[in-house]
Each structure stands twice: as structure tokens, then as C-alpha cells.
Amino acid sequence: MNNNSAKSPMIVSFGEMLIDFVPDVAGVSLAESYAFIKAPGGAPANVACAIAKLGGNAAFIGKVGDDEFGHMLANLLNKSGVNSDGICFDKDARTALAFVTLKADGQREFMFYRSPSADMLLKESELKLDLIKQAKIFHYGSISLISEPCKSAHMAAMKAAKQAGVLLSYDPNVRLPLWPSPEAARDGIKSIWDQADFVKVSDDEVEFLTKGDPKKDDVVMSLWNDNFKLLIVTDGPEGCRYFSKKFKGKVNGYKVKTVDTTGAGDAFVGAFLQAVAKDPNLFNDENKLKEALVFANACGAISTTQKGAIPSLPDKAQAENLIKEAK
């Protein structure tokens, strides 16, 4: 564990951890790909690693297979400085796999192997509730809402966090191939919408959830809920926009040579949550908020310059350098 992590407030990520197989050459279809690079992934796990890489205190709760890949992932979390006490191993199900196509511009398409995978089989009885209750922030996505028993475990974890006064952070991470239909995805993602204190969505996700133009603020605000402290829309290389009860604005992104956008949103979220854990007053102070978002944008940008989500996560010095260079 890194030294300052024990003292700083804990952020617990909940959900899936899997292996992404990424083609060694961008711009080809899965069928045309000759070789694949094995890259650990799963958005909530990426977020935990992003926080730890920045010197924060991160824990992960989820389930993997009792197989080579599952143990590899658990070991990777440990090596990254993430608390892995909340990981369970399933004797009967495999760790999930995803084959990811990288288009020429680094954007992605996914093909998943989960039938069912271990992450879907996490049961409420397997939750480390004491870990959740100790957290400052509880972070989750929507993939854990797709099927039982994981959905019930997700709901119970959220409830325990809320009752303990923990901040709830939600990044839906829309993955349409995993849902029965686009409508089911929309309904499932929105079913817990009003529970969160903080929500981060990408511009594409705004378009999917609203069927409107994500560039328009009134379209974004149709997603607003009065329980929110903050809603953030990430606009890829353009940066991000923020919306709260008191203010709204935009923070510009960074131009970098993008290789693979996998995990960019997770690097952004990890950096931002780390700032919130240190100073929850961010939500009420626009200058502090903007400062945190400048840093989060830099982390997101750097993570796109290398293949794979976790290996490309930046540390504090790298992000600060990019911000300095851009000035």
C-alpha cells in the first residue's frame, strides 16, 4: 500500500473486473486481428486503480472466477495498492472476457464472453458491508444491474452506503451488447438515477439516455435530479461540462496523441473522486471544482496515449506536467 492511502478517506468501487483482449493493431475488425494484448479491465476496477495510482485510498468489491485470470486480476489490484478484501472467487464460473476492436481513431467496439461470468454471480451475502460503511465515497456503474443475483447485491450495497452517510458516485458506463435491448438498458440505468450524489456521463451516453443533442445544456439538464450534488458530462478531447444547483460551466481538455480510449473515463473519474474525498466542499466551490476537473481532464487525456486501461493510468506528476506544458 502507498503511505498516504491509509490516512486519506477511502473510496470503494463496486462491480465488474474482467480481461479485455485488445488487438495489437488499431483499425482492424476482430476477425481481421492477428494477435491480441491481454489487458485487465472493468470500469469500477479501473477507477480503483486510478485512485491508488494517484496516491489515494481505494478498495474494490466484486467477484471473479477462481481461475488463472481471476487470480491475476486480484493480484494486479494488490500490486496497484488497491484494498482487495472485498473480492470473492467463484468456483463454478469464469472471469469475464471482452474482445475490444480499436478503430483507427482509438474508439472501441466490444464483444463480451459472459455466460454467466463470475461478476454476475456476486450475492448479497458475499458483500463486505463493513468496508462499504467505512468509505467516504461508494462508486458503481450499471453493468452490475443487468442480472441477478448481482443486481440485488448492488442494491443492498448502495442502501448500506446511503444509510452510513457515504457519498454515492455513479458512472453508468453504457455497454449495449450486455443488455437485452436498448430500452432495457435505458430503464435499468435510470432505475437508480435518483439515488446518486454525483453522476458522470459521456456525451454519447447523454444522447443515448435522452435521445437528444448532448451539446445542448437543456438536453443534459433533463437528466438532472434534485438529489444530485453534481452532474458531469465528459466530451472526449473537448474536456467536460459541469452542472450543479448553483453553477454550470465547461473545462477544456488536452490534445494528446490518442492510441486507445479504453479507461479514459475511469482515469477521469478516479482523479475527480480522489479530489472529492479530500475535500467534499468541492461541490459548493466553483473554483475548487474547476481545479479538480482540470486535473481529472489531464488524467483522462494521458490514459489514452497507451493501450489498455490500467497500464496507462497516470500518476500525479504526469498529470501536473501535462497541465504545465499546456499553459
Side-chain angles (χ1 to χ4, degrees), residues 81-105:
V82 175
N83 174 323
S84 59
D85 295 349
I87 295 186
C88 322
F89 296 91
D90 196 297
K91 291 253 184 288
D92 304 309
R94 294 271 188 232
T95 303
L97 308 178
F99 284 84
V100 186
T101 323
L102 292 182
K103 297 181 197 161
D105 61 357

PDB file of all heavy atoms in Angstrom, residues 81-105:
ATOM      1  N   GLY A  81      -1.946  -1.366  -5.193  1.00  0.00           N
ATOM      2  CA  GLY A  81      -2.206  -0.678  -3.939  1.00  0.00           C
ATOM      3  C   GLY A  81      -3.684  -0.539  -3.612  1.00  0.00           C
ATOM      4  O   GLY A  81      -4.073   0.280  -2.789  1.00  0.00           O
ATOM      5  N   VAL A  82      -4.525  -1.353  -4.280  1.00  0.00           N
ATOM      6  CA  VAL A  82      -5.968  -1.323  -4.007  1.00  0.00           C
ATOM      7  C   VAL A  82      -6.299  -2.391  -2.954  1.00  0.00           C
ATOM      8  O   VAL A  82      -5.816  -3.527  -3.052  1.00  0.00           O
ATOM      9  CB  VAL A  82      -6.782  -1.595  -5.299  1.00  0.00           C
ATOM     10  CG1 VAL A  82      -8.273  -1.697  -5.011  1.00  0.00           C
ATOM     11  CG2 VAL A  82      -6.512  -0.510  -6.338  1.00  0.00           C
ATOM     12  N   ASN A  83      -7.119  -2.040  -1.980  1.00  0.00           N
ATOM     13  CA  ASN A  83      -7.584  -2.997  -0.980  1.00  0.00           C
ATOM     14  C   ASN A  83      -8.505  -4.013  -1.681  1.00  0.00           C
ATOM     15  O   ASN A  83      -9.517  -3.640  -2.283  1.00  0.00           O
ATOM     16  CB  ASN A  83      -8.346  -2.228   0.107  1.00  0.00           C
ATOM     17  CG  ASN A  83      -8.999  -3.142   1.134  1.00  0.00           C
ATOM     18  OD1 ASN A  83      -9.491  -4.211   0.808  1.00  0.00           O
ATOM     19  ND2 ASN A  83      -9.027  -2.695   2.375  1.00  0.00           N
ATOM     20  N   SER A  84      -8.141  -5.293  -1.613  1.00  0.00           N
ATOM     21  CA  SER A  84      -8.903  -6.315  -2.340  1.00  0.00           C
ATOM     22  C   SER A  84      -9.663  -7.256  -1.394  1.00  0.00           C
ATOM     23  O   SER A  84     -10.054  -8.356  -1.782  1.00  0.00           O
ATOM     24  CB  SER A  84      -7.959  -7.125  -3.232  1.00  0.00           C
ATOM     25  OG  SER A  84      -6.960  -7.729  -2.433  1.00  0.00           O
ATOM     26  N   ASP A  85      -9.884  -6.807  -0.149  1.00  0.00           N
ATOM     27  CA  ASP A  85     -10.602  -7.645   0.826  1.00  0.00           C
ATOM     28  C   ASP A  85     -12.021  -7.987   0.346  1.00  0.00           C
ATOM     29  O   ASP A  85     -12.599  -8.978   0.794  1.00  0.00           O
ATOM     30  CB  ASP A  85     -10.727  -6.925   2.182  1.00  0.00           C
ATOM     31  CG  ASP A  85      -9.362  -6.702   2.839  1.00  0.00           C
ATOM     32  OD1 ASP A  85      -8.378  -7.280   2.335  1.00  0.00           O
ATOM     33  OD2 ASP A  85      -9.293  -5.944   3.824  1.00  0.00           O
ATOM     34  N   GLY A  86     -12.574  -7.150  -0.514  1.00  0.00           N
ATOM     35  CA  GLY A  86     -13.956  -7.356  -0.962  1.00  0.00           C
ATOM     36  C   GLY A  86     -14.087  -8.230  -2.200  1.00  0.00           C
ATOM     37  O   GLY A  86     -15.173  -8.372  -2.763  1.00  0.00           O
ATOM     38  N   ILE A  87     -12.995  -8.837  -2.646  1.00  0.00           N
ATOM     39  CA  ILE A  87     -13.062  -9.706  -3.835  1.00  0.00           C
ATOM     40  C   ILE A  87     -13.417 -11.126  -3.439  1.00  0.00           C
ATOM     41  O   ILE A  87     -12.857 -11.680  -2.494  1.00  0.00           O
ATOM     42  CB  ILE A  87     -11.712  -9.726  -4.592  1.00  0.00           C
ATOM     43  CG1 ILE A  87     -11.413  -8.348  -5.161  1.00  0.00           C
ATOM     44  CG2 ILE A  87     -11.740 -10.738  -5.731  1.00  0.00           C
ATOM     45  CD1 ILE A  87     -10.196  -8.302  -6.039  1.00  0.00           C
ATOM     46  N   CYS A  88     -14.378 -11.715  -4.153  1.00  0.00           N
ATOM     47  CA  CYS A  88     -14.705 -13.151  -3.966  1.00  0.00           C
ATOM     48  C   CYS A  88     -14.328 -13.898  -5.240  1.00  0.00           C
ATOM     49  O   CYS A  88     -14.306 -13.325  -6.328  1.00  0.00           O
ATOM     50  CB  CYS A  88     -16.197 -13.378  -3.764  1.00  0.00           C
ATOM     51  SG  CYS A  88     -17.005 -12.165  -2.791  1.00  0.00           S
ATOM     52  N   PHE A  89     -14.083 -15.202  -5.071  1.00  0.00           N
ATOM     53  CA  PHE A  89     -13.765 -16.066  -6.208  1.00  0.00           C
ATOM     54  C   PHE A  89     -14.873 -17.090  -6.380  1.00  0.00           C
ATOM     55  O   PHE A  89     -15.285 -17.720  -5.408  1.00  0.00           O
ATOM     56  CB  PHE A  89     -12.426 -16.783  -5.965  1.00  0.00           C
ATOM     57  CG  PHE A  89     -11.262 -15.832  -5.890  1.00  0.00           C
ATOM     58  CD1 PHE A  89     -10.865 -15.291  -4.666  1.00  0.00           C
ATOM     59  CD2 PHE A  89     -10.574 -15.457  -7.036  1.00  0.00           C
ATOM     60  CE1 PHE A  89      -9.794 -14.411  -4.588  1.00  0.00           C
ATOM     61  CE2 PHE A  89      -9.510 -14.576  -6.969  1.00  0.00           C
ATOM     62  CZ  PHE A  89      -9.119 -14.048  -5.741  1.00  0.00           C
ATOM     63  N   ASP A  90     -15.350 -17.254  -7.611  1.00  0.00           N
ATOM     64  CA  ASP A  90     -16.413 -18.226  -7.883  1.00  0.00           C
ATOM     65  C   ASP A  90     -15.807 -19.507  -8.439  1.00  0.00           C
ATOM     66  O   ASP A  90     -15.082 -19.485  -9.434  1.00  0.00           O
ATOM     67  CB  ASP A  90     -17.418 -17.635  -8.881  1.00  0.00           C
ATOM     68  CG  ASP A  90     -18.710 -18.422  -8.906  1.00  0.00           C
ATOM     69  OD1 ASP A  90     -18.673 -19.616  -9.280  1.00  0.00           O
ATOM     70  OD2 ASP A  90     -19.759 -17.860  -8.562  1.00  0.00           O
ATOM     71  N   LYS A  91     -16.123 -20.642  -7.774  1.00  0.00           N
ATOM     72  CA  LYS A  91     -15.554 -21.937  -8.194  1.00  0.00           C
ATOM     73  C   LYS A  91     -16.148 -22.421  -9.518  1.00  0.00           C
ATOM     74  O   LYS A  91     -15.517 -23.179 -10.243  1.00  0.00           O
ATOM     75  CB  LYS A  91     -15.843 -23.001  -7.113  1.00  0.00           C
ATOM     76  CG  LYS A  91     -15.072 -22.795  -5.817  1.00  0.00           C
ATOM     77  CD  LYS A  91     -13.962 -23.840  -5.679  1.00  0.00           C
ATOM     78  CE  LYS A  91     -13.220 -23.738  -4.365  1.00  0.00           C
ATOM     79  NZ  LYS A  91     -12.347 -22.556  -4.277  1.00  0.00           N
ATOM     80  N   ASP A  92     -17.376 -21.994  -9.800  1.00  0.00           N
ATOM     81  CA  ASP A  92     -18.098 -22.581 -10.937  1.00  0.00           C
ATOM     82  C   ASP A  92     -18.152 -21.703 -12.182  1.00  0.00           C
ATOM     83  O   ASP A  92     -18.472 -22.187 -13.258  1.00  0.00           O
ATOM     84  CB  ASP A  92     -19.534 -22.921 -10.517  1.00  0.00           C
ATOM     85  CG  ASP A  92     -19.553 -23.840  -9.311  1.00  0.00           C
ATOM     86  OD1 ASP A  92     -18.849 -24.873  -9.365  1.00  0.00           O
ATOM     87  OD2 ASP A  92     -20.229 -23.525  -8.312  1.00  0.00           O
ATOM     88  N   ALA A  93     -17.884 -20.407 -12.032  1.00  0.00           N
ATOM     89  CA  ALA A  93     -18.000 -19.510 -13.188  1.00  0.00           C
ATOM     90  C   ALA A  93     -16.652 -18.897 -13.520  1.00  0.00           C
ATOM     91  O   ALA A  93     -15.795 -18.716 -12.660  1.00  0.00           O
ATOM     92  CB  ALA A  93     -19.022 -18.418 -12.899  1.00  0.00           C
ATOM     93  N   ARG A  94     -16.485 -18.561 -14.774  1.00  0.00           N
ATOM     94  CA  ARG A  94     -15.235 -17.985 -15.251  1.00  0.00           C
ATOM     95  C   ARG A  94     -15.217 -16.465 -15.082  1.00  0.00           C
ATOM     96  O   ARG A  94     -16.251 -15.820 -15.040  1.00  0.00           O
ATOM     97  CB  ARG A  94     -15.068 -18.280 -16.748  1.00  0.00           C
ATOM     98  CG  ARG A  94     -14.889 -19.755 -17.046  1.00  0.00           C
ATOM     99  CD  ARG A  94     -13.421 -20.088 -16.995  1.00  0.00           C
ATOM    100  NE  ARG A  94     -13.141 -21.440 -17.444  1.00  0.00           N
ATOM    101  CZ  ARG A  94     -12.430 -22.308 -16.750  1.00  0.00           C
ATOM    102  NH1 ARG A  94     -11.980 -21.995 -15.551  1.00  0.00           N
ATOM    103  NH2 ARG A  94     -12.182 -23.486 -17.225  1.00  0.00           N
ATOM    104  N   THR A  95     -14.002 -15.939 -15.049  1.00  0.00           N
ATOM    105  CA  THR A  95     -13.805 -14.496 -15.120  1.00  0.00           C
ATOM    106  C   THR A  95     -14.272 -14.015 -16.497  1.00  0.00           C
ATOM    107  O   THR A  95     -14.004 -14.679 -17.501  1.00  0.00           O
ATOM    108  CB  THR A  95     -12.306 -14.173 -14.935  1.00  0.00           C
ATOM    109  OG1 THR A  95     -11.885 -14.721 -13.687  1.00  0.00           O
ATOM    110  CG2 THR A  95     -12.047 -12.694 -14.977  1.00  0.00           C
ATOM    111  N   ALA A  96     -14.954 -12.874 -16.535  1.00  0.00           N
ATOM    112  CA  ALA A  96     -15.473 -12.353 -17.811  1.00  0.00           C
ATOM    113  C   ALA A  96     -14.342 -11.945 -18.745  1.00  0.00           C
ATOM    114  O   ALA A  96     -13.274 -11.509 -18.311  1.00  0.00           O
ATOM    115  CB  ALA A  96     -16.379 -11.154 -17.551  1.00  0.00           C
ATOM    116  N   LEU A  97     -14.586 -12.092 -20.043  1.00  0.00           N
ATOM    117  CA  LEU A  97     -13.647 -11.652 -21.077  1.00  0.00           C
ATOM    118  C   LEU A  97     -14.366 -10.702 -22.030  1.00  0.00           C
ATOM    119  O   LEU A  97     -15.566 -10.850 -22.277  1.00  0.00           O
ATOM    120  CB  LEU A  97     -13.138 -12.842 -21.901  1.00  0.00           C
ATOM    121  CG  LEU A  97     -12.546 -14.044 -21.164  1.00  0.00           C
ATOM    122  CD1 LEU A  97     -12.147 -15.119 -22.171  1.00  0.00           C
ATOM    123  CD2 LEU A  97     -11.354 -13.628 -20.324  1.00  0.00           C
ATOM    124  N   ALA A  98     -13.626  -9.742 -22.566  1.00  0.00           N
ATOM    125  CA  ALA A  98     -14.185  -8.868 -23.608  1.00  0.00           C
ATOM    126  C   ALA A  98     -13.142  -8.712 -24.704  1.00  0.00           C
ATOM    127  O   ALA A  98     -11.966  -8.467 -24.421  1.00  0.00           O
ATOM    128  CB  ALA A  98     -14.527  -7.501 -23.022  1.00  0.00           C
ATOM    129  N   PHE A  99     -13.566  -8.896 -25.937  1.00  0.00           N
ATOM    130  CA  PHE A  99     -12.686  -8.597 -27.069  1.00  0.00           C
ATOM    131  C   PHE A  99     -13.055  -7.207 -27.557  1.00  0.00           C
ATOM    132  O   PHE A  99     -14.220  -6.902 -27.783  1.00  0.00           O
ATOM    133  CB  PHE A  99     -12.855  -9.642 -28.173  1.00  0.00           C
ATOM    134  CG  PHE A  99     -12.182 -10.939 -27.838  1.00  0.00           C
ATOM    135  CD1 PHE A  99     -12.830 -11.884 -27.046  1.00  0.00           C
ATOM    136  CD2 PHE A  99     -10.887 -11.200 -28.262  1.00  0.00           C
ATOM    137  CE1 PHE A  99     -12.204 -13.077 -26.696  1.00  0.00           C
ATOM    138  CE2 PHE A  99     -10.253 -12.385 -27.917  1.00  0.00           C
ATOM    139  CZ  PHE A  99     -10.919 -13.320 -27.139  1.00  0.00           C
ATOM    140  N   VAL A 100     -12.049  -6.358 -27.656  1.00  0.00           N
ATOM    141  CA  VAL A 100     -12.277  -4.947 -27.964  1.00  0.00           C
ATOM    142  C   VAL A 100     -11.671  -4.622 -29.317  1.00  0.00           C
ATOM    143  O   VAL A 100     -10.489  -4.903 -29.550  1.00  0.00           O
ATOM    144  CB  VAL A 100     -11.621  -4.052 -26.891  1.00  0.00           C
ATOM    145  CG1 VAL A 100     -11.983  -2.594 -27.118  1.00  0.00           C
ATOM    146  CG2 VAL A 100     -12.039  -4.483 -25.487  1.00  0.00           C
ATOM    147  N   THR A 101     -12.471  -4.072 -30.227  1.00  0.00           N
ATOM    148  CA  THR A 101     -11.925  -3.605 -31.502  1.00  0.00           C
ATOM    149  C   THR A 101     -11.498  -2.165 -31.345  1.00  0.00           C
ATOM    150  O   THR A 101     -12.281  -1.351 -30.863  1.00  0.00           O
ATOM    151  CB  THR A 101     -13.005  -3.603 -32.613  1.00  0.00           C
ATOM    152  OG1 THR A 101     -13.844  -4.716 -32.439  1.00  0.00           O
ATOM    153  CG2 THR A 101     -12.387  -3.630 -33.977  1.00  0.00           C
ATOM    154  N   LEU A 102     -10.280  -1.855 -31.732  1.00  0.00           N
ATOM    155  CA  LEU A 102      -9.836  -0.453 -31.748  1.00  0.00           C
ATOM    156  C   LEU A 102      -9.936   0.067 -33.168  1.00  0.00           C
ATOM    157  O   LEU A 102      -9.256  -0.419 -34.064  1.00  0.00           O
ATOM    158  CB  LEU A 102      -8.379  -0.347 -31.296  1.00  0.00           C
ATOM    159  CG  LEU A 102      -8.072  -0.660 -29.838  1.00  0.00           C
ATOM    160  CD1 LEU A 102      -6.583  -0.446 -29.590  1.00  0.00           C
ATOM    161  CD2 LEU A 102      -8.876   0.227 -28.913  1.00  0.00           C
ATOM    162  N   LYS A 103     -10.813   1.065 -33.374  1.00  0.00           N
ATOM    163  CA  LYS A 103     -10.856   1.681 -34.697  1.00  0.00           C
ATOM    164  C   LYS A 103      -9.620   2.568 -34.853  1.00  0.00           C
ATOM    165  O   LYS A 103      -8.898   2.817 -33.889  1.00  0.00           O
ATOM    166  CB  LYS A 103     -12.128   2.503 -34.837  1.00  0.00           C
ATOM    167  CG  LYS A 103     -13.395   1.646 -34.740  1.00  0.00           C
ATOM    168  CD  LYS A 103     -14.611   2.526 -34.913  1.00  0.00           C
ATOM    169  CE  LYS A 103     -15.852   1.813 -34.421  1.00  0.00           C
ATOM    170  NZ  LYS A 103     -16.931   2.770 -34.164  1.00  0.00           N
ATOM    171  N   ALA A 104      -9.394   3.074 -36.050  1.00  0.00           N
ATOM    172  CA  ALA A 104      -8.177   3.841 -36.332  1.00  0.00           C
ATOM    173  C   ALA A 104      -8.012   5.036 -35.391  1.00  0.00           C
ATOM    174  O   ALA A 104      -6.905   5.437 -35.065  1.00  0.00           O
ATOM    175  CB  ALA A 104      -8.179   4.296 -37.786  1.00  0.00           C
ATOM    176  N   ASP A 105      -9.154   5.605 -34.917  1.00  0.00           N
ATOM    177  CA  ASP A 105      -9.066   6.788 -34.046  1.00  0.00           C
ATOM    178  C   ASP A 105      -9.023   6.422 -32.564  1.00  0.00           C
ATOM    179  O   ASP A 105      -9.165   7.287 -31.695  1.00  0.00           O
ATOM    180  CB  ASP A 105     -10.247   7.733 -34.305  1.00  0.00           C
ATOM    181  CG  ASP A 105     -11.596   7.078 -34.021  1.00  0.00           C
ATOM    182  OD1 ASP A 105     -11.612   5.861 -33.678  1.00  0.00           O
ATOM    183  OD2 ASP A 105     -12.629   7.755 -34.124  1.00  0.00           O
TER     184      ASP A 105
END
